[in-house]
């Protein structure tokens, strides 16, 4: 897996350079989810594809920005599902954005995820990597290299941060009560509209909860299972937290019927997730 993580480190520096130097405008194309594509989305996708072309461990690539599967190496073991630049529309207002990588072995379902990683492009470039059975590892870039900051990232049982996603007027009543109750307990609102920095902050600041529920306008949620939800669920579970959907099911048990399927998702420390289960009536 280190070969794949090292390739992600190379990718991180190239995408960060593109963010710093390239045109932040839109292409005249849209991605598989029908979203307008930024030139940075396309460039980031190209950087990732080119980087993994030489890694024989990688059997195929599935990108959030494209339909279908790109086959690379017959002898490859892993399929990498990735969001090349999540939250890319935040780059033109100088907010942090990120890349997300899910490394799967076999069928593209939650239980076959064997490792994941994300990169945060912010005041510094930061990298989080996770493999089965180990706490996530946190790295920070300095002078062209990634240095290990923490080799065992762990969530507290209870945190202080609340990142409530989705259009509030379209939340159901019990979701609104759940979110408001946390604020009534003194939780701090931390939501930038970028999944990667928002989840990174909760992980590094000791805990809390990030929620992107199903809403009346988007009943199955907005975030994609293979590229965003499952890779972060893996990291949050490895960090001692939980990651579930609106039915209380582990997101690691998701079985997407289409590569671009989405899911309502809740990632957080145990106290907050258990509070959500109570609010949703899905406590085991
Ligand atoms: P909303 C960015 O577009 C993204 O896919 C995630 O990074 C982020 O968490 C979410 O959408 C934000 O969505 O509806 O709150 O703007």
């Amino acid at each position: 897996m280190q070969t794949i993580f090292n390739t992600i480190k190379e990718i991180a520096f190239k995408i960060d350079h593109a963010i710093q130097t390239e045109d932040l405008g839109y292409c005249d194309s849209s991605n598989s989810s029908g979203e307008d594509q930024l030139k940075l989305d396309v460039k980031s996708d190209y950087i990732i594809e080119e980087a993994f072309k030489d890694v024989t461990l990688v059997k195929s690539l599935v990108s959030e920005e494209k339909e279908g599967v790109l086959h690379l190496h017959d002898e490859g073991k892993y399929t990498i599902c990735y969001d090349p630049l999540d939250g890319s529309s935040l780059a033109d207002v100088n907010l942090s954005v990120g890349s997300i990588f899910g490394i799967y072995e076999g069928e593209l379902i939650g239980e076959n995820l064997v490792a994941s990683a994300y990169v945060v492009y912010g005041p510094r470039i930061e990298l989080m990597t996770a493999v089965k059975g180990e706490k996530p590892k946190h790295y920070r870039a300095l002078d062209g290299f990634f240095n290990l900051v923490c080799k065992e990232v762990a969530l507290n049982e209870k945190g202080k941060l609340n990142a409530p996603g989705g259009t509030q007027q379209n939340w159901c009543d019990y979701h609104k009560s759940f979110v408001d109750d946390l604020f009534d307990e003194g939780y701090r609102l931390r939501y930038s509209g970028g999944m990667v920095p928002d989840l990174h902050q909760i992980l590094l600041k000791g805990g809390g909860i990030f929620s992107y529920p199903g809403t009346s306008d988007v009943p199955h949620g907005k975030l994609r299972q293979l590229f965003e939800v499952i890779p972060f669920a893996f990291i949050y579970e490895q960090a001692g937290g939980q990651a579930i959907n609106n039915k209380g099911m582990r997101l690691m048990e998701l079985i997407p019927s289409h590569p671009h399927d989405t899911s309502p998702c809740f990632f957080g420390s145990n106290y907050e997730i258990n509070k959500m289960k109570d609010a949703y009536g899905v406590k085991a």
Side-chain angles (χ1 to χ4, degrees):
M1 205 55 71
Q2 204 50 52
T3 302
I4 290 177
F5 290 152
N6 289 341
T7 304
I8 291 173
K9 291 175 183 176
E10 293 165 18
I11 288 166
F13 287 115
K14 290 177 179 167
I15 291 180
D16 185 64
H17 180 71
I19 293 168
Q20 305 301 329
T21 58
E22 306 222 2
D23 179 347
L24 299 177
Y26 282 93
C27 310
D28 52 13
S29 58
S30 59
N31 67 15
S32 309
S33 304
E35 295 165 332
D36 292 337
Q37 276 183 314
L38 284 164
K39 290 173 186 169
L40 266 182
D41 289 321
V42 176
K43 178 64 184 273
S44 301
D45 189 49
Y46 173 77
I47 288 168
I48 293 170
E49 200 177 292
E50 285 299 298
F52 280 119
K53 269 184 179 163
D54 302 330
V55 181
T56 54
L57 266 175
V58 179
K59 182 177 179 184
S60 46
L61 297 175
V62 185
S63 168
E64 186 199 325
E65 292 302 327
K66 290 196 294 273
E67 271 301 338
V69 177
L70 175 66
H71 181 76
L72 291 182
H73 305 284
D74 290 341
E75 71 279 21
K77 187 175 177 186
Y78 303 114
T79 294
I80 300 179
C81 298
Y82 63 90
D83 182 354
L85 199 61
D86 182 79
S88 54
S89 59
L90 298 170
D92 66 357
V93 290
N94 206 27
L95 288 177
S96 297
V97 291
S99 302
I100 311 166
F101 303 85
I103 296 113
Y104 296 81
E105 187 172 349
E107 199 183 352
L108 298 182
I109 59 175
E111 67 183 33
N112 287 349
L113 185 97
V114 294
S116 72
Y118 65 79
V119 180
V120 190
Y121 308 97
R124 294 186 174 120
I125 313 170
E126 303 213 346
L127 166 70
M128 192 72 71
T129 64
V131 296
K132 259 192 180 129
E134 292 181 18
K135 287 276 189 294
K137 290 182 169 60
H138 173 212
Y139 299 83
R140 182 171 294 148
L142 183 64
D143 298 334
F145 296 93
F146 277 97
N147 301 309
L148 183 64
V149 176
C150 175
K151 64 179 181 179
E152 292 193 336
V153 174
L155 284 160
N156 296 336
E157 273 303 295
K158 182 180 187 300
K160 301 184 181 72
L161 305 183
N162 187 7
T167 307
Q168 299 199 18
Q169 70 177 34
N170 299 329
W171 288 348
C172 63
D173 293 346
Y174 51 84
H175 182 76
K176 179 155 177 46
S177 304
F178 161 66
V179 171
D180 290 347
D181 285 355
L182 287 173
F183 286 131
D184 291 347
E185 285 187 40
Y187 280 72
R188 314 298 297 274
L189 171 62
R190 292 292 184 270
Y191 191 79
S192 73
M195 178 183 196
V196 176
D198 289 344
L199 282 160
H200 187 59
Q201 178 173 199
I202 290 170
L203 266 178
L204 298 191
K205 296 280 189 184
I209 188 163
F210 173 101
S211 53
Y212 204 108
T215 52
S216 55
D217 60 330
V218 192
H220 298 293
K222 174 183 182 184
L223 302 180
R224 289 81 170 181
Q225 294 181 22
L226 284 176
F227 313 109
E228 297 163 330
V229 169
I230 296 168
F232 265 109
F234 185 74
I235 289 171
Y236 264 63
E237 287 194 350
Q238 300 290 88
Q242 293 184 56
I244 60 172
N245 68 5
N246 54 312
K247 298 184 175 66
M249 184 185 98
R250 289 177 61 235
L251 295 168
M252 292 304 297
E253 294 171 10
L254 284 170
I255 301 177
S257 53
H258 181 278
H260 295 270
D261 277 357
T262 61
S263 171
C265 50
F266 302 80
F267 308 87
S269 304
N270 290 315
Y271 171 84
E272 291 87 346
I273 293 290
N274 291 332
K275 193 173 172 67
M276 173 270 172
K277 289 175 182 175
D278 282 340
Y280 274 64
V282 291
K283 202 147 182 83

